[in-house]
Amino acid sequence: MSEHQRQQDLVVKQAEQRKQEEFLVNEEIIKIMKQTKLKHGLKKLGENQN
């Protein structure tokens, strides 16, 4: 394998890793948003019952 191919391989691997990390971060954000929405929803339900 030439040095150039090795460099390209490394760049591709790094790009794929970054994509996976971004995906995981987005998953976390979605989870957090869902949890906070649920909390807000429950708060509203509690207020309506009073």
Side-chain angles (χ1 to χ4, degrees):
M1 199 195 283
S2 73
E3 186 57 36
H4 181 68
Q5 280 178 309
R6 211 169 309 168
Q7 285 291 65
Q8 275 190 318
D9 212 37
L10 193 62
V11 169
V12 169
K13 277 188 184 140
Q14 285 174 337
E16 283 174 357
Q17 201 174 356
R18 209 170 303 134
K19 259 189 208 163
Q20 277 185 316
E21 285 167 8
E22 281 173 19
F23 175 73
L24 288 175
V25 167
N26 286 341
E27 287 286 287
E28 283 302 305
I29 291 170
I30 290 167
K31 258 190 232 168
I32 291 166
M33 280 174 68
K34 279 183 181 171
Q35 284 175 351
T36 52
K37 270 185 191 169
L38 281 174
K39 282 180 192 168
H40 284 301
L42 289 174
K43 261 190 202 167
K44 279 184 184 169
L45 281 175
E47 285 167 13
N48 290 346
Q49 284 173 351
N50 290 347

